[in-house]
Amino acid sequence: MEELIEKLRELREKAYMGGGPKKIEVQHAKGKLTVRERLELLVDPETFVEMGSFVLPRATDFGMDKMRFYGDGVITGYGKIDGRLVFIYAQDFTVIGGSLGEMHALKIVRTIESALKVGVPVIGLYDSGGARIQEGVASLEGFGKVFAANVKASGVIPQIAVILGPCAGGATYSPALMDFVIMVKETSYMFVTGPRVVKATTGEDVTFEELGGAEVHATKSGVAHFIAENEEEAFVILKKLLSYLPPNNMSEPPIVETEDPAEREVPELEKIVPVDPMSAYDVREVICKILDDEEFLEVHENFAPNIVVGFGRLGGRTVGVVANQPAHLAGSIDIDASDKASRFVRFLDAFNIPIITLVDVPGFLPGVDQEHGGIIRHGAKLLYAYQEATVPKITFVLRKAYGGAYIAMGSKSLGADFVYAWPTAEIAVMGPEGAVRILYKREIAKTKNPEEFVKAVTEEYRRMFANPYKAAELGVIDDVIEPRYTRIIAIKALEALEGKREETPLKKHGNIPL
Ligand code: HXC
């Protein structure tokens, strides 16, 4: 027995070393941690249980007979993060560049499927050269199976990808199918075709970082929801994100004790938001003031900053916040903002997280680019997502709420449970001046001083219609409230909606305008 145990220990030690000390040195020299170091940082001590540690590649062609690394370049298993169970797969770049072959894929698929059976989040740590070239079609097939598992798990368990090195080619589609992507600055990159292929096909000269670095995906493409300065920070973000989420779609998010009183008034709100509808302010200040302990985890912070989305808590319960941001593009909704907010709303709905919407929106962004880029198709996603969501939906109209954008931002007509307006709210088809210029086109043409005329009539229009009371009379808002009571009312509304049940027509699935 002793001998057998000795042999097992030897093999385990070998498996533990991945591609060996030289490759580990190279990994460190690139500013990256090894897969074991990553797991140590991520998982609560002594809780990680590995699965498939002795798996070897089945392939033997093209030198694969000499690449007999236990684990086949991916460590899979389960463990606890802040006391809560998760399943993890973590690619090991020191083993054949973390490339994905048949058995590597099988291990990932089994991990996702186990997480799905148990009903807990799955986390993927990506650091890979993509499809293992030597295994050819078997590795492509492996990728297909990983994608299928990601899709099957979508909406059932939270799936989070952390990109810690290369993630190229078709490999990018696994993180893209998951709920959140975290990237690390300078050491991670994602692209479907790399700089060399880009050069050959379009003639463009571009570096790895410029083409698919963290910064690019966090600001331009929207592929990355979070960026971190280093791997340690990536795991801090991941843990924080997990703290807001339920383990699966049949469970409620965890309730966290808070010292922040539910009866806290927030008089500062009356100063943060200027009465003048044209003046800008940072809506994140409003969000933070309302949430428990002023804590807000912003998602997609630098992508489409004209809309703000993220997680917080009210009375200890997780909520998702969606808010127009008057500090960018005056808070108008463009193509990217529509995509960003709709996907977030759908995530919240899938995972039983109530939606708090703060509205201050002049409309959908005008322009040829927007129209030709499909603002109609993209904007429709937001309408669709809000209507489809059956979780509690509570909306506060802070200031402007004009046109289709007012409808899209969690209006009563799209099923909001409670809509409140501040006295500064203006709910109308369009802004007062635009309305006057259309309604009084002839008079403006005839008058000697058109600008004076427009100004005077706009004032009159604003006094008559640009307020929340018309909307209150028609019952499209539930009440006009003093801003200082926003937090108190939001918490009461959440309590009232705790048992919310909503029937939806039977269908296979809807056809969201993608
Ligand atoms: C097999 C691979 C590999 C791969 C890297 N390696 N990628 N082996 N298949 N896809 C091996 C290298 O040969 C090397 O082996 C070791 O991993 C480390 O790689 P290096 O190149 O030394 O590392 P680095 O300089 O950091 O460059 C990393 C890299 C580069 C940029 C990722 O390795 C690279 O370009 N790899 C190929 C990327 C790629 O085109 N993948 C296919 C994408 S298409 P040794 O023995 O020297 O240590 C795809 C299709 C999926 O994935 C389709 C799904 C439907």
Side-chain angles (χ1 to χ4, degrees), residues 58-62 64 100-106 130-147:
R58 196 167 16 188
T60 51
D61 302 334
F62 292 105
M64 283 303 294
L100 180 142
E102 179 194 359
M103 301 307 282
H104 179 124
L106 180 78
R132 185 172 297 152
I133 298 160
Q134 298 89 329
E135 293 198 39
V137 72
S139 62
L140 295 185
E141 190 69 3
F143 260 123
K145 287 178 179 159
V146 173
F147 302 157

Side-chain angles (χ1 to χ4, degrees), residues 23 30 93 96-97 99 129-134 140 143 147 166 168-171 189 208:
K23 298 278 180 199
K30 286 178 183 155
F93 194 82
I96 327 175
S99 58
R132 185 172 297 152
I133 298 160
Q134 298 89 329
L140 295 185
F143 260 123
F147 302 157
Y189 48 89
F208 278 57

Side-chain angles (χ1 to χ4, degrees), residues 161-164 180-190 209 212-238 241 297-303:
V162 190
I163 316 296
L164 300 161
F180 295 102
V181 175
I182 304 171
M183 288 185 78
V184 177
K185 279 187 192 166
E186 284 164 25
T187 50
S188 74
Y189 48 89
M190 297 175 79
E209 190 69 18
E215 208 71 67
V216 165
H217 286 308
T219 54
K220 292 190 177 162
S221 72
V223 169
H225 298 83
F226 301 95
I227 48 171
E229 292 295 329
N230 50 44
E231 299 193 13
E232 286 83 353
E233 198 193 10
F235 295 138
V236 171
I237 294 169
L238 171 62
L241 175 60
L297 177 67
E298 189 169 354
V299 176
H300 261 153
E301 184 180 345
N302 300 311
F303 174 67

Side-chain angles (χ1 to χ4, degrees), residues 254-264 290-293 312-319 487 490-492 494-495 498:
I255 294 181
V256 172
E257 292 275 321
T258 174
E259 303 271 291
D260 197 352
E263 308 76 32
R264 175 166 63 85
I290 295 170
L291 294 174
D292 287 358
D293 308 304
R313 292 188 185 87
L314 279 169
R317 292 181 173 78
T318 300
V319 292
R487 171 178 162 82
I491 292 175
K492 282 196 175 146
L494 283 173
E495 276 169 13
E498 222 178 293

Side-chain angles (χ1 to χ4, degrees), residues 359-373:
V359 187
D360 191 345
V361 64
F364 285 100
L365 185 68
V368 175
D369 274 1
Q370 290 292 310
E371 296 295 342
H372 290 188

